[in-house]
Amino acid sequence: MGARALLRGPHRRLLRRLLLGGGWGRRSAAGPGALSPFDRQLKRKQKEWAAARPEMQRCEYLREEVGSRIADRVFDITRTFPLALDLGCGRSYIAQHLNKDVIEQLFQADIAENALKNAIESEIPRVSVIADEEFLPFKENTFDLVVSGLSLHWVNDLPKTLHEIHRILKPDGVFIGAMFGGDTLYELRCSLQLAELEREGGFSPHVSPFTAVSDLGHLLGGAGFNTLTVDTDEIQVNYPGMFEIMDDLQGMGESNCSWSRKPMLHRATMLAAAAVYREMYGNDDGTVPATFQIYYMIGWKFHETQARPAQRGSATASFGDLRKINELIPGGKKL
């Protein structure tokens, strides 16, 4: 979908200065296929619906937690960022944990207008832009920092999106992101598959595909980032049952939007899946767990002032000499 701003006046003039000339008319026209596994228009509708619910905060616990952990990684970098972008910001789950001492001005971009209109309060001056993560409308070398929390797992072309993030970063700018990993909701996936095999003689994917952590570093490096950091974490949430998990996923805007998804499941299959879930994974207190694997990534855009590894063969000592280090320390002190 095209980029559109929710503002007027001086902020709108600033936005025009930072946007690409043709950015306002770009649209995501991808249809089903091997290179376009997700229906982006359906994902936009899911997020719009979730952000307009009367009790939207009830299902935001996961995004709130991941947003705070991304903010912690921003605070670990001892500098102030004059201009930052929160890509796929939702209701601003990252900005609420930051302050003006760290980010002087923040652009927020999301495909869901309702999410931007109902954004959580923050002391940071913000500009909201309706834009698709797959078609970033900003000019090259615009932002000092780009953050993204639990949004990139829905893009059809992740390598291209990472290239675009690298393009809009200034030299020595940094990208800090989080996305769901391959073990996310494995309990739900296995339970649905087993129940569908038993009741219907086959199964279709009901949990969207995710990127493997082994591929993430290669994707970041291929996009031009250096000094990479990739780590994983797991968040396990207990629910009364499988249907409560699915209800909360819908409330998060995280329902399946794969082109290959099955439009509906029979009631008997759903009941069987709930029974399988409880039997295979249920806790002693009657609840069932749902695992969310999170990949956190940090990548920098090259600048000549950044530290670089020494040239191969330039070392003046060998690791084999470390055993002799006590002989080299004056005063007889030993390590």
Side-chain angles (χ1 to χ4, degrees):
M1 66 182 300
R4 189 153 55 90
L6 301 178
L7 51 107
R8 296 182 177 85
H11 281 201
R12 195 172 185 85
R13 289 193 292 272
L14 171 64
L15 193 64
R16 285 175 176 166
R17 180 166 58 85
L18 299 181
L19 282 172
L20 288 168
W24 297 90
R26 288 180 163 188
R27 293 194 175 272
S28 174
L35 298 180
S36 300
F38 303 122
D39 183 345
R40 294 289 294 173
Q41 292 302 318
L42 176 60
K43 178 49 57 182
R44 179 185 63 80
K45 292 176 182 178
Q46 290 173 350
K47 295 184 71 174
E48 291 278 20
W49 178 86
R53 296 180 73 188
E55 297 181 356
M56 64 190 80
Q57 299 89 345
R58 184 179 64 83
C59 299
E60 294 180 341
Y61 47 86
L62 200 62
R63 297 188 185 279
E64 294 264 6
E65 178 63 25
V66 173
S68 70
R69 297 186 186 189
I70 293 175
D72 288 341
R73 287 163 169 81
V74 176
F75 281 119
D76 287 340
I77 302 172
T78 55
R79 68 166 68 171
T80 298
F81 299 97
L83 188 62
L85 170 68
D86 186 351
L87 184 61
C89 63
R91 293 207 318 116
S92 194
Y93 305 104
I94 301 174
Q96 63 173 325
H97 301 288
L98 299 170
N99 56 53
K100 292 185 290 187
D101 295 331
V102 179
I103 295 177
E104 295 179 354
Q105 186 165 32
L106 177 67
F107 274 60
Q108 297 185 141
D110 199 277
I111 59 174
E113 183 174 355
N114 286 335
L116 296 170
K117 286 182 176 179
N118 297 316
I120 301 169
E121 291 296 324
S122 171
E123 67 177 58
I124 303 172
R126 293 177 292 177
V127 178
S128 296
V129 182
I130 303 173
D132 194 319
E133 295 96 329
E134 295 186 342
F135 300 93
L136 301 185
F138 304 102
K139 292 181 179 179
E140 188 175 357
N141 300 331
T142 296
F143 297 102
D144 305 280
L145 167 71
V146 175
V147 295
S148 180
L150 301 184
S151 172
L152 297 182
H153 58 284
W154 289 120
V155 301
N156 281 311
D157 192 343
L158 184 57
K160 177 189 172 185
T161 300
L162 293 175
H163 272 282
E164 283 290 283
I165 293 172
H166 184 270
R167 178 184 64 81
I168 64 176
L169 274 173
K170 294 178 181 177
D172 202 32
V174 59
F175 166 57
I176 304 176
M179 61 188 295
F180 285 122
D183 287 339
T184 295
L185 297 175
Y186 73 87
E187 305 98 337
L188 178 62
R189 180 170 57 245
C190 292
S191 300
L192 287 170
Q193 288 178 355
L194 289 172
E196 201 169 5
L197 274 171
E198 178 192 356
R199 298 298 173 120
E200 303 181 27
F203 66 87
S204 59
H206 297 286
V207 177
S208 298
F210 298 106
T211 303
V213 67
S214 57
D215 297 329
L216 201 50
H218 296 297
L219 291 173
L220 288 166
F225 290 100
N226 58 40
T227 319
L228 306 177
T229 302
V230 177
D231 60 284
T232 67
D233 193 10
E234 283 190 357
I235 300 175
Q236 193 172 83
V237 184
N238 292 321
Y239 295 87
M242 187 191 79
F243 295 107
E244 286 77 11
I245 297 173
M246 299 178 75
D247 183 62
D248 273 19
L249 289 174
Q250 188 179 32
M252 297 176 196
E254 289 295 328
S255 297
N256 191 356
C257 70
S258 300
W259 288 107
S260 59
R261 71 192 181 280
K262 195 173 182 177
M264 64 169 290
L265 273 173
H266 295 100
R267 181 173 181 272
T269 304
M270 294 292 289
L271 292 173
V276 170
Y277 202 128
R278 192 173 300 278
E279 178 66 25
M280 292 181 61
Y281 305 107
N283 299 316
D284 293 337
D285 62 359
T287 61
V288 296
T291 299
F292 299 90
Q293 185 181 39
I294 315 295
Y295 297 157
Y296 295 95
M297 66 201 95
I298 302 176
W300 294 79
K301 188 169 182 177
F302 175 77
H303 189 269
E304 59 184 11
T305 61
Q306 292 173 348
R308 280 174 279 182
Q311 290 185 352
R312 188 178 181 87
S314 62
T316 58
S318 167
F319 279 112
D321 294 332
L322 290 177
R323 57 187 174 83
K324 303 177 183 178
I325 193 170
N326 289 326
E327 301 173 10
L328 303 176
I329 297 177
K333 294 182 180 180
K334 293 187 177 183
L335 296 179

